[in-house]
Amino acid sequence: MSNEPLDVDVPVVRAIHARGNYLRWSDHSYANSNAPIGTQMNAETAPTNLSSPDRHENLCLPWMWPICAFENMVQNQLRLSSDVLNFAAEAHKLDYELKPAWATPNTIKLELRTMQLRDFSEDGAKTIPVIVDAPYAGHSTTIADYSADQSLVRTLKANGLKRIYVTDWKPATDAMKDFTIDTYLEDLNAAVDAVGGKVHLLGLCQGGWLSAAYAARFPGKVRTLVLAGAPIDTDAGEGDVKGLAHTLPMSFHRELVAAGGGRLLGKFMLAGWKGMNPTDQYVKKYADLFTHIEDKDYIKRAEEFARWYEAPLDLPGVYYLQAVEWLFKENRLAKGTFVALGKTIALKHITIPVYMLAGEADDITPPAQVFNAENYLGTSKSDMTKKLVPGGHIGLFMGRKTLENTWPEISKWILSYDNGL
């Protein structure tokens, strides 16, 4: 047996052992050898009790290191390839395959041109019903019932509101392309009549300005009004939507509608939203997904969000153009020049209790656009409540902290004005 030194010392072998787990003279072997750390190993001083954690171990003698290293590389590549394939499949699923879903059992109370009125009520409840007027701005109304543990509907029910309805706005078909704002106000009025003719109206985001317009047009049919992230005074504050509305001419919006054959296609809106935060949407999103591809909880949360965010709704072209021009360019609702179902309305016609909720980091509906409503409403100051909470826009409707800390308070506020039917 040759005493020719093997040109590698123990620390190097240990490092290789720790990294690849194939080039095996284990630490246990060294501990039972007579070779002091830092000395060169040769055939006589090399340990004889080679560990064998797998069937490849006995191949990994010094002269076989290149083969073992290659095998280790192949195994790592196979694991990497598996992760890449899983990542690609999951990314495609998140972007294209998931559809909106309701987390809480419900029935269809009423089928209308523009919506299905979903009923989440408990049997036998006798209180004034709550209608959640969900946003109609390109995303599914399931934001109101986002998931089993992040549901505005469930939070309201758990805090005493037992008659809950949600406006489930339909994606615009070609037959709906000429629907106007009045079309939606008519159907909202039909929904109110279907549940008794008087409601607590809870408007989320774009559902907020529609709810305010409805309350001003039919003041006797609304008991209380909640405006959550609702753009009421669109000239106030600074935000992305305001900036785009004031910068882009109406001709741009008309061209978008024309490109959709008379509708504003959801895919156009989705591209626009993502373009507001391109690094997050086109780089960080996928980097985070790859990093967490084996994290089941992360994947579950990602799929819940994608189910809502990545499945946009088409809007009627006429409705969309009216909303842009009347609400966001001309600010007619705040200025008292909005015409609803043939009648000029003003926010001063609203004299019922109003609760205003805004997010301090909301760049879609800045807090001032919500809170400035107090300057136009006919409601007494004692019946107005304003609440500013941490977080951004969608967190107002499905954020865990807001659902836990703020919506129970809003539920109790509504109940304090509920004197039954």
Side-chain angles (χ1 to χ4, degrees):
M1 183 176 292
S2 171
N3 287 324
E4 182 71 17
L6 303 177
D7 192 21
V8 61
D9 63 11
V10 173
V12 172
V13 178
R14 279 182 172 164
I16 295 172
H17 174 271
R19 176 66 183 91
N21 217 27
Y22 282 103
L23 311 183
R24 299 273 208 266
W25 276 328
S26 72
D27 286 341
H28 176 72
S29 298
Y30 296 126
N32 289 283
S33 76
N34 295 320
I37 292 177
T39 63
Q40 288 186 317
M41 297 294 294
N42 57 37
E44 289 186 351
T45 58
T48 58
N49 54 335
L50 298 178
S51 62
S52 299
D54 56 50
R55 66 186 179 87
H56 303 286
E57 188 73 28
N58 59 352
L59 298 178
C60 292
L61 297 171
W63 51 86
M64 299 294 287
W65 288 349
I67 296 174
C68 294
F70 176 75
E71 182 178 7
N72 189 35
M73 181 183 70
V74 169
Q75 292 294 331
N76 286 335
Q77 288 297 322
L78 287 174
R79 286 193 294 271
L80 180 61
S81 296
S82 176
D83 285 349
V84 169
L85 290 174
N86 290 340
F87 163 77
E90 187 63 33
H92 188 274
K93 182 178 181 181
L94 293 178
D95 286 346
Y96 302 110
E97 297 178 20
L98 300 174
K99 302 300 179 186
W102 296 91
T104 304
N106 63 87
T107 59
I108 305 301
K109 172 70 174 179
L110 190 64
E111 184 85 38
L112 297 167
R113 297 165 297 174
T114 63
M115 70 158 112
Q116 292 178 319
L117 184 65
R118 292 190 176 268
D119 185 356
F120 296 84
S121 305
E122 295 184 6
D123 293 338
K126 299 297 183 183
T127 56
I128 295 173
V130 173
I131 289 185
V132 178
D133 189 357
Y136 189 49
H139 277 127
S140 168
T141 52
T142 54
I143 189 69
D145 189 36
Y146 178 76
S147 69
D149 56 353
Q150 288 176 263
S151 169
L152 175 57
V153 166
R154 294 189 182 199
T155 299
L156 297 175
K157 292 183 70 175
N159 287 276
L161 298 172
K162 304 303 183 183
R163 294 186 67 194
I164 307 288
Y165 301 88
V166 177
T167 58
D168 186 6
W169 301 112
K170 296 178 179 179
T173 63
D174 185 65
M176 297 168 65
K177 64 184 179 183
D178 294 325
F179 283 7
T180 65
I181 290 176
D182 275 355
T183 309
Y184 289 83
L185 285 171
E186 286 174 357
D187 279 5
L188 182 57
N189 189 44
V192 171
D193 288 343
V195 299
K198 191 162 196 171
V199 299
H200 300 288
L201 197 51
L202 199 162
L204 311 181
C205 183
Q206 302 298 312
W209 65 256
L210 190 71
S211 294
Y214 180 84
R217 181 64 178 81
F218 299 101
K221 291 188 171 185
V222 182
R223 181 66 186 96
T224 63
L225 178 64
V226 177
L227 302 173
I232 303 300
D233 181 3
T234 58
D235 286 338
E238 298 299 329
D240 292 335
V241 173
K242 175 186 175 181
L244 291 172
H246 289 191
T247 301
L248 298 173
M250 281 304 299
S251 59
F252 170 82
H253 299 283
R254 293 189 186 99
E255 288 172 4
L256 276 181
V257 169
R263 296 173 292 160
L264 178 64
L265 299 183
K267 64 181 181 181
F268 294 165
M269 288 182 280
L270 185 61
W273 296 320
K274 289 185 175 184
M276 292 181 182
N277 297 286
T279 302
D280 286 347
Q281 290 295 332
Y282 296 110
V283 180
K284 187 176 184 297
K285 167 185 169 181
Y286 298 105
D288 288 348
L289 176 62
F290 187 78
T291 301
H292 297 90
I293 196 60
E294 295 182 353
D295 184 338
K296 292 181 179 180
D297 288 339
Y298 181 91
I299 297 300
K300 177 178 178 289
R301 293 194 302 272
E303 290 183 356
E304 287 174 345
F305 184 74
R307 191 177 297 282
W308 173 76
Y309 186 78
E310 298 287 351
L313 304 181
D314 300 335
L315 302 181
V318 175
Y319 166 90
Y320 168 73
L321 293 174
Q322 287 179 341
V324 170
E325 187 169 18
W326 296 0
L327 272 299
F328 294 96
K329 284 188 173 292
E330 298 178 359
N331 201 19
R332 292 187 188 184
L333 191 58
K335 293 178 179 179
T337 58
F338 193 99
V339 178
L341 298 171
K343 182 179 180 179
T344 301
I345 60 172
L347 294 176
K348 66 182 180 181
H349 298 150
I350 299 174
T351 59
I352 54 173
V354 178
Y355 194 110
M356 292 162 272
L357 175 66
E360 60 184 8
D362 191 339
D363 57 357
I364 303 298
T365 305
Q369 291 190 4
V370 184
F371 293 154
N372 272 23
E374 69 176 332
N375 300 324
Y376 305 103
L377 292 167
T379 303
S380 66
K381 296 295 183 181
S382 61
D383 282 332
M384 289 187 201
T385 301
K386 297 189 297 181
K387 182 80 169 185
L388 183 66
V389 297
H393 189 65
I394 65 171
L396 292 172
F397 324 125
M398 47 71 76
R400 293 179 187 275
K401 290 184 178 179
T402 308
L403 289 173
E404 291 172 1
N405 301 328
T406 304
W407 283 105
E409 173 188 309
I410 295 175
S411 300
K412 291 179 176 62
W413 177 86
I414 292 172
L415 285 170
S416 72
Y417 290 100
D418 193 320
N419 52 6
L421 297 177

